Amino acid sequence: MAIYLSAAAIRESINRLGNSKAKSTLFDFLIVKRSLALANTKWLAISESQPVYVQALDELGRVSFQGNSVNLNHPYYNVFDMKPRSKKYKSNGTNTTIGNPPWRVILDMDDSERPRKSSLAKNYLSSLADFFLTKANAPLPKLADVAIWYHRGQDIKPIVDKEDDSGERLKILSQRFAKEAKLTNDEVKRLFDSSIELDVNTYYFAEKEPHPNDYLVNPTSEPTMVASVEEVEDVSADLVAALASKGFVILTGPSGTGKSRSALKLAEGFQTVYRNKTNASLFALIAVGPDWTSPKRLLGFRTPFGAERTGRDGQNTNESYEITDTLRLMLRASHPELIDIPHFLVLDEMNLSQVERYFAPFLSLMEAASFLSSDNQIGLVDATDLQVIADILGVTDPDSVETESARLLAAGRERLVMPRNLFVVGTVNVDETTYMFSPKVLDRAHVIELAARVPSMYMNTDQVVGFGSTITISEADGLIRNGLELRKQWDSLKNPTDVFDELSEKSFDETSIAQIKETVVKAIDGCFELLSPVGFPFEYRTSNGVCQYIATWIELQRTLGKSVAEIMKSWSEALDKAILQRVLPKIHGNKRTLGESLRAISLFLSGADQDSQPGARYTLGVGRVIGIAPAKKLKLPGEGPQMPRCTAKLDAMHERLQAVGHVSFVC
């Protein structure tokens, strides 16, 4: 007769582990340990390409199978925070979590191969308790509870058959789990309570395998949406799509059009969504000053003139660090427990000072993050300064999230890099007191223009009218978190149009994907051919941004319930917005430089070629005609006007150029 752990025993173990001192990341550590044990090696790639990693994840996390299903959309479960995990957890779980800089105190990384390999760090034992056991006023997790969870659903008769006493059986299971995960005595001593405590009212064993529904806590709850969001206003779909595809958006338009409010509404919505996950603020509103000439206003700076304190060596010191709100936000975003939660940096009046001066390190890291590993990234704040920051915060704010994050980074001698989950929104006004953006800035951002509204739009209604269409904050959360995952995959692509290949997994046929690719390439090529001769060529980064935005927009439509057929009829809307936000903002100059080029680009995007009347062509210099050959004519799906947003903007810019002799996208 088989012997199984009872539903009551498993449920109680989950409750105790979830309310213990252990953070959810202890789950990831145990998966790494079990993977290394299965592979019988010190170095291993924690990746789906390694069957031992998948096996370890299934052993420690999987609860949903065909025929024994809790929720096939959430087949994994983390007992240390009592939360289900989605199907994407296999590829966006432990292997992603351990790549974050704070983990360097626990794991070393070898970047000589792809996927990179992981191994236990040299002095990891001394950091175990501080890293994984941080919940205040809570007991240590019990090794027996982990063993109960690990052996859920297994016939354990071969393991405990010689024992009848429940306490002895649990002791045997604890020893068995420690052996299979190769947990050392030192690891067990630092992380777990090894005692066995029995509840006389609990039957720990059963003759039949219990169903997961009988023991899971919150078995089908959404793992990240932990708060009711019914009271949160809908947010801009355009802003969300742009942030999901890139992470840096510039909002431009006349004063009073709602630029700052749109960004803050989104950030405040996320604060509500995650209010039960963290008490820390997920956003910071930073007013840029007209005298900013260096990154110090954002990143702070070291100073020898702070308040006197006792240093690490026991001596009195005045060494200090000016800790800014931006730095605090970045530290919070870098915390291992919050690394998957979006954080927002809102830079108000971003161009009151020259962006290239005070924002230069951020601009560099936005580009470097796509091809440098986390171990090799250029830091915004180095390890030495982080130690001072950790010391200062330890005195002024010892229990804060940013203090713990700084301590973890400093302990691992890590630099503070730009977290992937940090989204930047800058607002821009254009007048005689502001500076124009350079190509370095525009290459890294989506530029969304908010037009001034006709007064009757707000004077004849009680409703506040925002810009563009809106989506719920729940939909925004799903799209942005999905964008975080996709951008990690996109970083390794060599051809920008490869982002569309994954559409085959979402019911798009090969013909539809090929049509999207061909049309996007034709549109980008045509813009390049018409812009390059007047001094505005663009390279891979821009083309990549266009493709990624379109892929994100398509994902947004799927989130909203649109069918493949509906998306194929309307996807050119995304192309229109992508060209408007990534290509056209580069254009500026006088009438002599631009000539009739803006009109030619507008005609090309509306479907004309050089032989049309009027034609997509212009004359450069003495008789050189620049135009679009008939074979390169742009034809988009749908019955209405092609690329209406781009053509309207280009026509307006052309008219202003003719009227005043000079034009730029943002004026």
Side-chain angles (χ1 to χ4, degrees):
M1 183 178 296
I3 301 176
Y4 294 93
L5 286 155
S6 69
I10 303 172
R11 184 170 57 251
E12 289 176 8
S13 71
I14 293 173
N15 275 306
R16 282 192 294 266
L17 290 172
N19 291 292
S20 70
K21 292 180 72 71
K23 298 192 299 184
S24 63
T25 48
L26 183 54
F27 181 69
D28 301 294
F29 177 72
L30 293 178
I31 289 174
V32 172
K33 285 290 295 183
R34 178 59 176 153
S35 299
L36 292 169
L38 286 167
N40 194 26
T41 182
K42 290 185 177 180
W43 288 91
L44 180 70
I46 305 300
S47 164
E48 276 189 280
S49 63
Q50 299 295 325
V52 292
Y53 164 64
V54 177
Q55 179 181 337
L57 177 58
D58 285 348
E59 289 176 352
L60 284 157
R62 195 169 183 88
V63 292
S64 194
F65 298 91
Q66 295 287 354
N68 190 22
S69 173
V70 178
N71 183 343
L72 288 176
N73 289 323
H74 296 95
Y76 298 102
Y77 193 88
N78 186 337
V79 290
F80 293 104
D81 61 3
M82 297 185 287
K83 295 286 192 338
R85 296 291 185 261
S86 72
K87 291 183 288 187
K88 295 179 180 178
Y89 192 79
K90 184 183 293 184
S91 60
N92 192 33
T94 300
N95 57 338
T96 299
T97 300
I98 66 174
N100 295 316
W103 272 80
R104 296 298 78 77
V105 300
I106 304 297
L107 298 176
D108 286 332
M109 294 288 179
D110 181 3
D111 285 301
S112 62
E113 300 180 36
R114 284 289 184 269
R116 63 183 180 180
K117 293 184 176 181
S118 304
S119 181
L120 295 171
K122 184 177 180 181
N123 297 315
Y124 78 100
L125 282 173
S126 61
S127 301
L128 283 179
D130 290 339
F131 196 83
F132 294 116
L133 307 176
T134 60
K135 294 181 182 177
N137 303 316
L140 287 172
K142 285 186 172 294
L143 182 62
D145 286 332
V146 181
I148 288 173
W149 170 254
Y150 178 76
H151 291 97
R152 70 202 178 283
Q154 299 181 37
D155 179 3
I156 59 174
K157 183 176 181 179
I159 306 174
V160 301
D161 191 36
K162 294 181 179 180
E163 291 291 343
D164 293 326
D165 180 74
S166 294
E168 287 299 316
R169 284 181 172 182
L170 293 182
K171 183 177 180 180
I172 292 171
L173 291 178
S174 299
Q175 294 170 344
R176 176 66 173 261
F177 169 70
K179 180 179 180 181
E180 295 202 349
K182 286 192 174 180
L183 292 175
T184 67
N185 291 335
D186 282 335
E187 289 171 342
V188 171
K189 182 178 179 181
R190 284 171 166 80
L191 292 174
F192 299 104
D193 175 357
S194 297
S195 65
I196 305 293
E197 295 181 14
L198 298 178
D199 186 337
V200 295
N201 297 314
T202 299
Y203 292 97
Y204 285 87
F205 302 96
E207 296 177 358
K208 293 183 179 180
E209 176 187 356
H211 193 281
N213 273 334
D214 295 330
Y215 57 73
L216 290 184
V217 180
N218 302 318
T220 59
S221 65
E222 189 68 27
T224 56
M225 304 300 291
V226 295
S228 171
V229 294
E230 293 179 358
E231 71 276 17
V232 180
E233 292 184 48
D234 290 350
V235 295
S236 166
D238 288 343
L239 177 57
V240 171
L243 285 171
S245 66
K246 184 63 181 175
F248 178 27
V249 172
I250 295 172
L251 299 178
T252 181
S255 179
T257 50
K259 300 183 295 294
S260 299
R261 181 63 196 136
S262 296
L264 289 175
K265 184 195 291 186
L266 180 64
E268 290 167 348
F270 273 82
Q271 190 73 57
T272 300
V273 168
Y274 292 101
R275 64 189 174 200
N276 292 344
K277 184 79 171 179
T278 175
N279 292 324
S281 176
L282 300 182
F283 67 95
L285 174 64
I286 307 298
V288 175
D291 58 343
W292 288 21
T293 58
S294 78
K296 290 182 178 180
R297 300 289 188 141
L298 293 176
L299 296 175
F301 54 91
R302 200 163 173 172
T303 173
F305 303 112
E308 186 174 290
R309 61 183 177 85
T310 303
R312 300 175 65 83
D313 58 1
Q315 302 296 315
N316 289 342
T317 178
N318 292 97
E319 184 180 43
S320 186
Y321 198 98
E322 188 68 26
I323 300 173
T324 64
D325 289 342
T326 302
L327 181 58
R328 286 179 175 271
L329 177 67
M330 293 177 64
L331 287 170
R332 292 195 293 271
S334 299
H335 192 279
E337 289 289 300
L338 305 179
I339 198 68
D340 292 324
I341 297 178
H343 290 65
F344 299 88
L345 174 62
V346 182
L347 298 174
D348 199 33
E349 302 281 5
M350 188 178 189
N351 62 333
L352 272 179
S353 289
Q354 285 189 281
V355 179
E356 298 79 4
R357 291 186 176 183
Y358 72 83
F359 206 56
F362 294 84
L363 295 172
S364 297
L365 283 185
M366 285 177 187
E367 182 68 11
S370 64
F371 57 83
L372 290 180
S373 71
S374 59
D375 290 342
N376 294 321
Q377 283 184 8
I378 305 167
L380 291 170
V381 179
D382 64 30
T384 304
D385 286 345
L386 275 171
Q387 185 61 72
V388 177
I389 292 168
D391 291 344
I392 298 299
L393 288 174
V395 173
T396 61
D397 200 4
D399 298 324
S400 68
V401 173
E402 49 263 42
T403 302
E404 182 182 1
S405 184
R407 284 171 176 166
L408 290 171
L409 288 166
R413 302 297 299 166
E414 292 290 332
R415 296 154 292 186
L416 177 65
V417 301
M418 189 167 180
R420 282 184 177 271
N421 60 325
L422 179 66
F423 295 85
V424 181
V425 181
T427 69
V428 171
N429 288 321
V430 179
D431 55 39
E432 65 278 0
T433 68
T434 61
Y435 294 86
M436 292 302 298
F437 289 115
S438 72
K440 181 176 182 179
V441 179
L442 296 175
D443 270 353
R444 289 160 172 78
H446 280 280
V447 180
I448 300 178
E449 183 177 30
L450 280 67
R453 293 166 292 170
V454 176
S456 60
M457 290 181 64
Y458 52 84
M459 296 179 71
N460 293 338
T461 179
D462 294 331
Q463 297 180 347
V464 178
V465 181
F467 72 94
S469 59
T470 60
I471 57 176
T472 67
I473 193 65
S474 298
E475 291 164 340
D477 177 65
L479 190 67
I480 284 184
R481 287 190 295 108
N482 187 60
L484 278 173
E485 179 181 343
L486 289 176
R487 278 157 52 195
K488 297 171 189 173
Q489 302 173 17
W490 290 341
D491 284 349
S492 61
L493 298 180
K494 295 183 179 179
N495 184 336
T497 62
D498 286 346
V499 300
F500 302 121
D501 289 339
E502 69 177 31
L503 295 178
S504 61
E505 301 175 4
K506 301 170 182 177
S507 302
F508 287 79
D509 58 50
E510 293 183 2
T511 301
S512 297
I513 296 173
Q515 177 188 337
I516 293 174
K517 286 185 175 183
E518 180 182 356
T519 306
V520 170
V521 170
K522 186 175 289 187
I524 294 175
D525 261 2
C527 290
F528 181 88
E529 291 181 19
L530 293 173
L531 281 173
S532 183
V534 291
F536 299 102
F538 51 85
E539 250 293 346
Y540 179 92
R541 191 184 297 121
T542 299
S543 301
N544 199 36
V546 169
C547 292
Q548 290 182 6
Y549 179 86
I550 295 171
T552 303
W553 185 92
I554 290 174
E555 184 64 27
L556 171 60
Q557 305 313 303
R558 284 171 44 78
T559 299
L560 297 176
K562 298 290 183 65
S563 67
V564 172
E566 290 174 315
I567 293 173
M568 286 305 300
K569 290 180 181 178
S570 62
W571 75 266
S572 60
E573 179 184 338
L575 177 61
D576 189 11
K577 292 179 178 178
I579 297 291
L580 180 67
Q581 294 169 190
R582 291 308 303 266
V583 178
L584 301 191
K586 302 173 183 296
I587 302 174
H588 67 276
N590 56 37
K591 189 173 181 179
R592 180 177 180 182
T593 300
L594 295 174
E596 296 292 315
S597 61
L598 300 182
R599 183 64 177 151
I601 301 168
S602 176
L603 289 166
F604 161 67
L605 293 176
S606 66
D609 59 45
Q610 62 189 17
D611 296 335
S612 303
Q613 293 299 327
R617 64 184 184 275
Y618 63 91
T619 302
L620 183 68
V622 184
R624 180 188 172 193
V625 177
I626 308 297
I628 300 297
K632 297 182 177 180
K633 185 175 181 177
L634 185 64
K635 176 62 178 175
L636 300 179
E639 301 298 329
Q642 285 193 176
M643 308 283 279
R645 296 170 182 81
C646 285
T647 55
K649 180 63 177 178
L650 285 164
D651 290 345
M653 291 175 67
H654 177 74
E655 291 172 1
R656 184 175 179 84
L657 180 66
Q658 301 306 310
V660 301
H662 186 278
V663 73
S664 68
F665 180 88
V666 296
C667 69

